[in-house]
Amino acid sequence: MPYQDPKKRIKNFDEVSLGYDKDLAIKEAKRCLQCKKPSCVKGCPVGIDIPSFIKEISNDNYKGALEKLKEKNLLPAICGRVCPQEDQCEKLCIVGKKNEPIAIGRLERFVADNQKMTSKLKPGLEGEKVAVVGSGPAGLACASELLQRGYRVTIFEALHKPGGVLMYGIPEFRLPKDVVEQEINQLVDMGVELQTNMVIGQTITLLELLEKGYKAVFIGSGAGLPFFLNIPGENLNGVYSANEFLTRANLMKAYLYPKWETPLRVGKKVVVVGAGNVAMDSARTAMRLGAKEVSIVYRRSEAEMPARKEEIFHAKEEGIEMNLLTNPISIEGDAEGWVNKIRCINMELGDPDESGRRRPKPVKGSEFTIEVDTVIMAIGQGANPVIPRSTKNLNLNDKGNIEVDSETGQTSIEGVFAGGDVVTGAATVIQAMGAGKQCAESIDKYIKNN
Amino acid sequence: MNTIISKDILSPSIKRYVIKNSKIAAKAEAGQFIILRVHEKGERIPLTIADYDREKGTVAIVFQEVGNTTQKLGEMEVGDKILDFVGPLGVPTTLPQGDNIVCIGGGMGIAPIYPEVKSLYNKGVKVTGVLGARTKDILFFSNEMDKICDKLYIVTDDGSQGRKGFVTDVLRDIIKNDNKIDGVIAVGPLPMMKAVCDITKVHNIPTIVSLNSLMVDGTGMCGGCRVTIGDEVKFACIDGPSFDGLKVDFDEQMRRLKMYKEEEEKVLGCKCGGEC
Ligand SMILES: Cc1cc2nc3c(=O)[nH]c(=O)nc-3n(C[C@H](O)[C@H](O)[C@H](O)COP(=O)(O)OP(=O)(O)OC[C@H]3O[C@@H](n4cnc5c(N)ncnc54)[C@H](O)[C@@H]3O)c2cc1C
Ligand SMILES: Cc1cc2nc3c(=O)[nH]c(=O)nc-3n(C[C@H](O)[C@H](O)[C@H](O)COP(=O)(O)OP(=O)(O)OC[C@H]3O[C@@H](n4cnc5c(N)ncnc54)[C@H](O)[C@@H]3O)c2cc1C
Ligand code: SF4
Ligand code: SF4
Ligand code: FES
């Protein structure tokens, strides 16, 4: 697939992957063996009929291809771009055993980008009302599924824009915001009611929604509570959570400052702590905002890095350094309280831990200092506490995630369902969508039985 | 929704708006705040809910024009709509127990202290009010406060209204003359709150302050508003903004508020006249 040249792209926020043109797409589609029992489908959390949509591409019928995709996935332009395909559908593609697997994600993106779906759906006015909290992938998937089952759906979103992490977290150069807006607008056109600036638990509580005539509630409030390491110096000026850094850059478009009015301060030397997608996104954003040196600090080795391979590859191409087997122990600042150093220690891998990965241990006496002027903490996030704190009897697990019945997605409160990152902890877009759809089914059953 | 119903000019740089938003009005409690955005490219800024009327479905804000967003907000007129207006955010202030409470509002802090005094007054608590400002032009709400305070003291740095001096001078006198103060609420610039807590700490008087950290989302998602309380890190937007003043790390807060000073000044010279 064609990409923007790394030297050029670190100076702009335009999309890095340029996408297939028609010829490339058809060529790739023709490589698919059209398996009778396609293993790829088992790898897709929403079960897209992959061979069928690919077949339509090779037949030059993009409208048909899009219809096939939309049967299972209403956000194909987004998933085609950000799904970890290498661990999902493409991992199980039979062609992949000997050669490169079929580029399912890229084909999905191609179809979605080149074919606008005009939807016919309009909800009945007599359907029961269901409330969806949060407009990330989980909430959007749940809402559209409910709509298709004839319910009247209202999405309540805390921020001023819908989309969740798609809007505030994943950067423009990886997932353009107009792509996200277009896909969400389709939902609104279909008849979902969207109320932004509504913080459930503050503006109105979850239980009040039930009292107000919503027959069921779906919670898809995501994993929006940033973790810190709890090491000295983390509150110095110039130390950000990845969430703050990325929200300023993406949602508030600080890269267009001062035309857009939210500032974001990036120094010349930036260290990002962590090695997931969030860390790569932060590092690559910092580079584009003018940093001269950006490095990742991660306590395990490259093999354990949780980010997608493609993102790590792109980050390296863009000149981001990897300080692996390195753990921060403290952050230091100047007289005015601005960060200027990060103290680290080398690590080595010991025996495997509960996650099956080898446990990193500090190497005695190996402390060293990196000079920095910005530090970004990208070490994960937990479930947001606003809803749990304001909802009596909503059970959480020991990590603070909402506890649900694994079959139905119902929480400890009758009629209240939950899915996505708020249940699983930080996961993926398509898993959140899968959970949203599953809950829509349960909500449908629940309402019909009551 | 979010229409400006009335606009009062309290001083050349301080304005009070009453805004229609029945959802927020229905829920608002003393100590909570809203976040607003005035236009599509605008910043999200937090402002305290200075009053609310559940029946009329309105909330009031009082703000000082210190920078870009507050200036643009100040240019709006009655009938205009504020693009985004979300709340009530934060947890309501847990008012101090007892029946002899001192409430200190400094500068813009007079706005947030007003609903807290009102709540205490409605509960029948005896409140001693102390209002301070640099000069009389930026002192507001003294008549309104007079109605709900048992006693009201006014101080200005330059002596242009009330006593000349600082709110801490008054607080020291009150403590000297009245040795059973049950609690203090202090809201104002960080150096003022710090100075108040330095005094109340010595006398072991429970003190509540309200922190105006930099914020983005106001929902606990970004961590930009973090504050150190004792040995714990808290998020001002969901754990506060009111905290136990005796435990707040004020120096850290003062430093963190300067995070974007250069950028802000680039867009627009600061016009607060040394207030910030
Ligand atoms: C920087 C970053 C990069 C990522 N990259 C990838 C990737 O490449 N591929 C991939 O598959 N996954 C990626 N992920 C993970 C993926 O984005 C998430 O797993 C997914 O978005 C979770 O969806 P969700 O709907 O559960 O929650 P979210 O997307 O977090 O959405 C939750 C929504 O609920 C709203 N909300 C929260 N509380 C309330 C409330 N009280 N009232 C009203 N609304 C509320 C929030 O404002 C938000 O809009 C990435 C995540 C991040 C942060
Ligand atoms: C919970 C909370 C409640 C608040 N309530 C009120 C209120 O009722 N009335 C009111 O006038 N202000 C209040 N503030 C402060 C208000 O949010 C800021 O004044 C506002 O964000 C400034 O935005 P600006 O774009 O106009 O100025 P900017 O251009 O962003 O800044 C101009 C100047 O103000 C300083 N400044 C920026 N943010 C803050 C801040 N959070 N606190 C103090 N100084 C700051 C800057 O350092 C700079 O010198 C509150 C803040 C918080 C967190
Ligand atoms: S949605 Fe994701 S997992 Fe499913 S086919 Fe598309 S790219 Fe693969
Ligand atoms: S497994 Fe691979 S080759 Fe077979 S249908 Fe799926 S994409 Fe095509
Ligand atoms: S403002 Fe973002 S967490 Fe408080």
Side-chain angles (χ1 to χ4, degrees):
Chain A
M1 180 151 71
Y3 291 99
Q4 238 201 100
D5 175 17
K7 281 204 196 67
K8 272 200 203 128
R9 72 184 191 233
I10 59 170
K11 302 217 161 59
N12 67 47
F13 273 81
D14 299 341
E15 197 171 9
V16 167
S17 316
L18 301 173
Y20 283 151
D21 58 20
K22 229 176 190 177
D23 292 344
L24 278 174
I26 292 178
K27 203 168 143 208
E28 183 65 16
K30 289 201 163 135
R31 288 209 305 131
C32 168
L33 306 178
Q34 292 294 318
C35 307
K36 285 269 159 345
K37 284 186 191 158
S39 46
C40 53
V41 177
K42 291 195 201 97
C44 173
V46 294
I48 290 179
D49 183 350
I50 295 170
S52 301
F53 100 80
I54 294 183
K55 187 164 180 211
E56 298 299 348
I57 300 177
S58 45
N59 290 345
D60 225 9
N61 175 8
Y62 309 123
K63 192 159 185 283
L66 188 66
E67 264 157 29
K68 273 282 159 220
L69 282 170
K70 292 242 164 165
E71 280 172 12
K72 300 283 181 180
N73 178 2
L74 77 151
L75 307 174
I78 294 168
C79 293
R81 286 173 166 87
V82 303
C83 255
Q85 293 101 7
E86 66 276 19
D87 294 326
Q88 298 180 353
C89 52
E90 292 176 16
K91 187 182 185 179
L92 299 180
C93 167
I94 202 89
V95 177
K97 288 217 161 122
K98 291 223 172 86
N99 296 301
E100 274 291 296
I102 307 304
I104 302 168
R106 291 172 185 177
L107 289 172
E108 188 171 338
R109 169 185 167 174
F110 167 79
V111 173
D113 284 358
N114 288 282
Q115 187 66 42
K116 295 279 160 282
M117 179 101 135
T118 40
S119 47
K120 11 180 179 31
L121 223 81
K122 281 279 169 199
L125 286 173
E126 54 295 336
E128 298 280 14
K129 286 183 0 174
V130 181
V132 169
V133 180
S135 62
L140 292 173
C142 185
S144 84
E145 187 68 32
L146 285 166
L147 201 71
Q148 292 176 35
R149 289 167 189 258
Y151 292 95
R152 283 182 292 161
V153 189
T154 307
I155 302 184
F156 296 95
E157 168 56 48
L159 294 171
H160 57 268
K161 280 241 183 291
V165 168
L166 306 175
M167 212 60 201
Y168 76 71
I170 304 180
E172 178 77 19
F173 56 83
R174 204 148 72 76
L175 181 63
K177 299 307 148 223
D178 55 1
V179 170
V180 179
E181 274 172 21
Q182 265 168 29
E183 293 213 317
I184 295 176
N185 283 343
Q186 284 184 34
L187 258 185
V188 176
D189 289 346
M190 277 162 66
V192 171
E193 191 201 349
L194 177 66
Q195 292 193 21
T196 51
N197 295 322
M198 289 290 284
V199 186
I200 303 307
Q202 298 279 132
T203 314
I204 182 170
T205 65
L206 200 81
L207 301 176
E208 283 166 341
L209 288 174
L210 290 172
E211 286 160 15
K212 285 205 160 131
Y214 291 98
K215 290 284 178 259
V217 180
F218 172 74
I219 311 174
S221 53
L225 179 79
F227 290 148
F228 289 89
L229 283 171
N230 295 321
I231 57 175
E234 257 176 323
N235 286 355
L236 285 164
N237 289 9
V239 183
Y240 292 94
S241 77
N243 274 4
E244 181 184 1
F245 191 81
L246 292 170
T247 301
R248 284 180 180 270
N250 296 318
L251 180 70
M252 306 312 295
K253 301 212 192 300
Y255 64 93
L256 300 175
Y257 185 83
K259 218 187 230 162
W260 285 67
E261 293 168 358
T262 303
L264 178 54
R265 216 182 154 119
V266 187
K268 295 282 168 256
K269 293 182 176 179
V270 179
V271 160
V272 179
V273 181
N277 286 326
V278 185
M280 297 306 140
D281 285 344
S282 304
R284 297 171 71 196
T285 299
M287 199 62 144
R288 284 164 174 75
L289 286 170
K292 292 281 169 279
E293 288 169 34
V294 182
S295 59
I296 294 280
V297 163
Y298 179 51
R299 64 198 179 113
R300 301 181 194 251
S301 71
E302 174 143 4
E304 289 89 16
M305 286 170 83
R308 292 183 60 196
K309 292 278 169 309
E310 182 170 323
E311 303 312 325
I312 299 171
F313 175 77
H314 283 158
K316 284 184 177 166
E317 260 192 344
E318 289 169 13
I320 286 148
E321 261 179 71
M322 304 286 161
N323 282 308
L324 305 177
L325 290 167
T326 304
N327 206 25
I329 43 182
S330 66
I331 303 173
E332 291 163 23
D334 64 17
E336 259 109 69
W338 282 90
V339 58
N340 62 5
K341 288 190 194 80
I342 177 165
R343 288 281 290 163
C344 297
I345 188 163
N346 286 329
M347 308 291 277
E348 59 188 5
L349 293 180
D351 298 329
D353 61 14
E354 324 78 66
S355 71
R357 299 179 300 178
R358 293 175 61 195
R359 189 193 299 274
K361 299 183 305 192
V363 178
K364 275 212 184 78
S366 67
E367 292 87 349
F368 65 101
T369 302
I370 308 176
E371 304 219 336
V372 289
D373 20 47
T374 303
V375 173
I376 302 168
M377 291 293 168
I379 54 165
Q381 53 255 340
N384 188 288
V386 172
I387 292 174
R389 281 186 195 174
S390 58
T391 314
K392 252 201 221 143
N393 301 330
L394 184 66
N395 290 352
L396 307 179
N397 66 15
D398 49 8
K399 286 190 182 142
N401 298 333
I402 297 180
E403 217 168 59
V404 297
D405 178 303
S406 60
E407 296 251 307
T408 63
Q410 181 161 294
T411 66
S412 52
I413 302 173
E414 213 186 280
V416 178
F417 298 75
D421 281 6
V422 73
V423 168
T424 55
T428 65
V429 171
I430 194 71
Q431 275 171 305
M433 288 179 61
K437 284 179 82 165
Q438 183 207 4
C439 284
E441 245 181 84
S442 309
I443 289 172
D444 185 24
K445 269 198 205 123
Y446 167 81
I447 292 177
K448 285 188 176 136
N449 290 338
N450 275 272
Chain B
M1 225 176 30
N2 305 349
T3 311
I4 301 173
I5 308 276
S6 72
K7 172 173 180 171
D8 290 323
I9 297 173
L10 304 180
S11 88
S13 69
I14 301 176
K15 291 179 177 142
R16 178 177 193 270
Y17 288 178
V18 173
I19 289 150
K20 182 92 189 162
N21 187 310
S22 48
K23 286 186 186 118
I24 301 180
K27 276 293 163 64
E29 297 284 351
Q32 291 189 298
F33 63 97
I34 53 91
I35 283 186
L36 61 77
R37 218 163 60 113
V38 291
H39 66 97
E40 190 51 39
K41 297 183 170 134
E43 197 172 0
R44 294 169 64 96
I45 67 154
L47 295 171
T48 307
I49 298 173
D51 204 357
Y52 52 82
D53 186 326
R54 301 209 204 284
E55 266 154 41
K56 293 199 184 116
T58 59
V59 295
I61 52 172
V62 177
F63 61 95
Q64 182 169 28
E65 295 178 20
V66 292
N68 190 16
T69 310
T70 44
Q71 263 179 36
K72 285 190 175 135
L73 183 63
E75 285 160 14
M76 297 180 79
E77 296 298 339
V78 172
D80 290 347
K81 271 185 183 195
I82 296 176
L83 178 64
D84 296 301
F85 199 76
V86 55
L89 300 171
V91 289
T93 307
T94 319
L95 299 166
Q97 295 296 310
D99 44 30
N100 191 10
I101 308 293
V102 177
C103 293
I104 306 173
M108 279 312 299
I110 299 173
I113 206 90
Y114 177 73
E116 306 194 330
V117 176
K118 204 164 132 184
S119 303
L120 288 168
Y121 173 80
N122 288 339
K123 285 192 196 163
V125 177
K126 187 180 134 210
V127 176
T128 306
V130 183
L131 304 185
R134 232 169 356 96
T135 180
K136 75 171 197 303
D137 291 348
I138 52 172
L139 189 87
F140 54 94
F141 274 17
S142 48
N143 292 338
E144 287 85 346
M145 288 285 272
D146 206 27
K147 286 184 203 140
I148 53 177
C149 286
D150 194 55
K151 262 187 250 153
L152 182 69
Y153 298 93
I154 289 175
V155 269
T156 46
D157 295 9
D158 61 1
S160 55
Q161 190 176 342
R163 172 174 168 179
K164 180 172 169 23
F166 300 111
V167 293
T168 40
D169 300 336
V170 180
L171 177 64
R172 272 198 210 92
D173 287 353
I174 298 175
I175 294 175
K176 215 188 311 167
N177 302 334
D178 183 352
N179 50 19
K180 54 167 191 27
I181 297 174
D182 294 312
V184 170
I185 307 179
V187 189
L190 286 165
M192 180 210 96
M193 293 191 282
K194 185 182 176 191
V196 166
C197 292
D198 286 344
I199 296 172
T200 54
K201 210 177 267 172
V202 176
H203 299 274
N204 210 8
I205 304 170
T207 306
I208 291 164
V209 298
S210 180
L211 298 181
N212 52 348
S213 9
L214 298 181
M215 293 187 177
V216 184
D217 56 302
T219 65
M221 182 270 280
C222 79
C225 62
R226 55 199 191 278
V227 296
T228 303
I229 311 294
D231 45 18
E232 274 183 286
V233 176
K234 301 269 187 189
F235 290 0
C237 69
I238 54 168
D239 300 320
S242 299
F243 291 101
D244 176 351
L246 304 186
K247 291 190 179 160
V248 170
D249 183 341
F250 286 105
D251 295 331
E252 177 184 278
Q253 274 311 292
M254 288 190 234
R255 206 187 66 217
R256 287 185 64 82
L257 268 191
K258 293 196 189 118
M259 197 102 108
Y260 294 104
K261 217 164 170 85
E262 273 175 40
E263 285 75 7
E264 283 150 358
E265 279 162 11
K266 245 183 266 165
V267 175
L268 189 92
C270 172
K271 300 217 308 187
C272 78
E275 198 71 348
C276 62

